[in-house]
Amino acid sequence: MKVKFKSVYFFILIFVFALFFSYSKFIVLAKDNRQDTDLLNYEFSDNSLLLLSDNSDINCDNIRNLFKDDGVLNVKNLTPNLNTNIFKIQFSFNSKEKILKLINKHTYSEGVLKIEPNYSGTFGETANDEYFNQQWGLNDINIKGAWDITTGSHSVRVGVIDTGVATHIDLVDNLAEGWNFFDNNDDTKDKNGHGTHVSGIIGAVGDNNIGISGINKKVKIVPLKIAHYSSWEISYVIEAINYVQSLHGTENEIDILNFSGWNFPIDLSLFTAIENYSGLFVCISGNGSKDIDTYPNYPGSFNCANLMTVGSIDINGDKSSFSNYGKTSVDLFAPGGNIYSTLPNNAYGNLSGTSMAAPHVTGVAALIYAKYPYLPASEVKAAIVNNVRKLDNLKEDCISGGILDAYTALTNAHTIHTASYQYRNANQHYVICKYCSKTIRSEAHTLIRYFGSKPGKICNGCGYILYNDGTALIPYKQPDQIM
């Protein structure tokens, strides 16, 4: 009996461990572990939900069959190019209570990794009808020094997940074609003004003798419309991110995404989409005047290597009264109070909110990409966060303890090193990185990776690219491509 008891005890321990392990990934998604289980405290769709499956064989027909007795109308795979499929399921009813019952009913169904509401949220802008005749935010982030290095490039593409972008006279030369995920068409015109205002901060045309200048005088803004007005569903955000990821490696690749949504609970669907995006994802801390270390909201509280969370300061360098903060959740602060930018109908005006702070960071990231186009998102993020202007009044409110500094971020984003070559014979040669003195061996004319038309090798010691013409080097650490 004692042996049998020990066996039972052993299998119970194994079961508990397996259960813990299966949920461990979800637990560490956020910078704060806690989850709000009272879903009725949050806004979400009353006729749709999201289902995640890590079984690549499951398709829309399987999901439709799973919900065949629940009033299913339509099923759409939002992430067909990922290993983890995220399905949006539309129903014939309009009832939040029924949505919650279906979540409980199908949580443990075969092939279901997670099932959750299709949350809705708002943008982080607070309207303000007070106008200024100057863009104080640009001076505050030290933009003039950055412009001595670069003013931007049309080769850098920035996706703005928002209400669309108006064809403003001060934006049109910096606009690219995008997509309307709300209506599923190519009409990305802005009926609200929020997306146009955000886009002007990032990239209103500079040196054209009219209006304002964006942080990037030259850039390509790609409108990714998810709403006509101020509220949106998370499924459209996921679809937009996945669309952008599908462009990775093409000439239409989008380097940075700016998203100003907030105020919903932890969501594995959105986390999965952001984590699988190859570029930099810039979002807001939110406008709740709260410590999001203690009261997390998402996506700002997600812990992703490619995600930056931005809080707002006012013209005096103080944390804006509306801005959320968090010593372990918010990366840095940027100007967000009374920011002057573009509005529909070729107008200009001031808006306030963390929605105005985030595009300042996005704009500086775009400048870095204009100068150093092959930097990975994690190093662009590090260049910005590690080179802020420190302020004592912010040291307890964010990770960096400071505000955005465009010049120092740009000057410290990249270090040039030199490489030398030693030929052994006609068929083999060695490449030595002078930065770390490590040697790479390569067959003649056999390259690890091409970077556009300029081939190069990756140093096994320092991770820097050694170009074949003897020049170097942009940090691009990718272990699977190191010899």
Side-chain angles (χ1 to χ4, degrees), residues 247-371:
L247 301 175
H248 179 64
T250 73
E251 63 179 8
N252 294 319
E253 181 171 346
I254 294 175
D255 304 288
I256 313 162
L257 286 174
N258 187 99
F259 178 52
S260 297
W262 70 293
N263 201 28
F264 49 87
I266 190 166
D267 185 276
L268 182 56
S269 305
L270 181 58
F271 175 85
T272 301
I274 295 172
E275 188 182 44
N276 282 282
Y277 170 50
S278 299
L280 185 66
F281 191 92
V282 181
C283 66
I284 64 175
S285 65
N287 294 345
S289 306
K290 292 181 179 179
D291 182 350
I292 61 173
D293 290 348
T294 305
Y295 304 101
N297 68 73
Y298 301 91
S301 294
F302 282 140
N303 188 10
C304 298
N306 64 331
L307 180 144
M308 297 186 70
T309 303
V310 186
S312 170
I313 59 164
D314 61 24
I315 195 170
N316 298 313
D318 295 322
K319 180 173 85 265
S320 299
S321 59
F322 53 77
S323 181
N324 288 341
Y325 54 94
K327 191 173 183 179
T328 64
S329 301
V330 177
D331 290 294
L332 75 165
F333 282 76
N338 292 313
I339 301 300
Y340 194 69
S341 186
T342 47
L343 290 171
N345 302 315
N346 292 325
Y348 301 87
N350 272 346
L351 294 177
S352 294
T354 49
S355 281
M356 286 62 253
H360 282 82
V361 173
T362 298
V364 172
L367 288 178
I368 293 174
Y369 276 117
K371 184 66 175 176

Side-chain angles (χ1 to χ4, degrees), residues 220-473:
K220 282 299 178 183
I221 302 290
V222 183
L224 303 169
K225 183 170 180 174
I226 61 165
H228 286 311
Y229 299 102
S230 60
S231 62
W232 42 267
E233 288 183 2
I234 203 168
S235 58
Y236 300 128
V237 183
I238 294 168
E239 202 169 355
I241 298 170
N242 186 66
Y243 165 77
V244 170
Q245 181 59 22
S246 72
L247 301 175
H248 179 64
T250 73
E251 63 179 8
N252 294 319
E253 181 171 346
I254 294 175
D255 304 288
I256 313 162
L257 286 174
N258 187 99
F259 178 52
S260 297
W262 70 293
N263 201 28
F264 49 87
I266 190 166
D267 185 276
L268 182 56
S269 305
L270 181 58
F271 175 85
T272 301
I274 295 172
E275 188 182 44
N276 282 282
Y277 170 50
S278 299
L280 185 66
F281 191 92
V282 181
C283 66
I284 64 175
S285 65
N287 294 345
S289 306
K290 292 181 179 179
D291 182 350
I292 61 173
D293 290 348
T294 305
Y295 304 101
N297 68 73
Y298 301 91
S301 294
F302 282 140
N303 188 10
C304 298
N306 64 331
L307 180 144
M308 297 186 70
T309 303
V310 186
S312 170
I313 59 164
D314 61 24
I315 195 170
N316 298 313
D318 295 322
K319 180 173 85 265
S320 299
S321 59
F322 53 77
S323 181
N324 288 341
Y325 54 94
K327 191 173 183 179
T328 64
S329 301
V330 177
D331 290 294
L332 75 165
F333 282 76
N338 292 313
I339 301 300
Y340 194 69
S341 186
T342 47
L343 290 171
N345 302 315
N346 292 325
Y348 301 87
N350 272 346
L351 294 177
S352 294
T354 49
S355 281
M356 286 62 253
H360 282 82
V361 173
T362 298
V364 172
L367 288 178
I368 293 174
Y369 276 117
K371 184 66 175 176
Y372 308 115
Y374 298 116
L375 281 179
S378 59
E379 296 208 21
V380 175
K381 174 181 176 179
I384 294 172
V385 174
N386 295 339
N387 292 285
V388 298
R389 177 157 55 92
K390 302 280 187 180
L391 292 177
D392 287 342
N393 57 317
L394 297 177
K395 65 183 180 181
E396 299 299 320
D397 292 330
C398 64
I399 294 168
S400 65
I403 66 171
L404 177 67
D405 190 309
Y407 174 70
T408 56
L410 196 55
T411 53
N412 290 289
H414 175 63
T415 305
I416 300 295
H417 300 289
T418 57
S420 64
Y421 294 76
Q422 293 183 358
Y423 287 88
R424 182 174 183 180
N425 55 47
N427 296 318
Q428 295 181 349
H429 63 271
Y430 290 89
V431 181
I432 298 175
C433 175
K434 287 187 175 179
Y435 174 63
C436 67
S437 300
K438 297 291 184 181
T439 299
I440 297 178
R441 173 185 177 277
S442 175
E443 301 294 329
H445 311 301
T446 301
L447 307 173
I448 302 172
R449 182 182 175 93
Y450 281 88
F451 292 87
S453 60
K454 191 173 182 180
K457 304 166 187 67
I458 300 177
C459 175
N460 191 38
C462 66
Y464 278 62
I465 298 170
L466 310 179
Y467 288 122
N468 277 17
D469 62 5
T471 61
L473 300 136

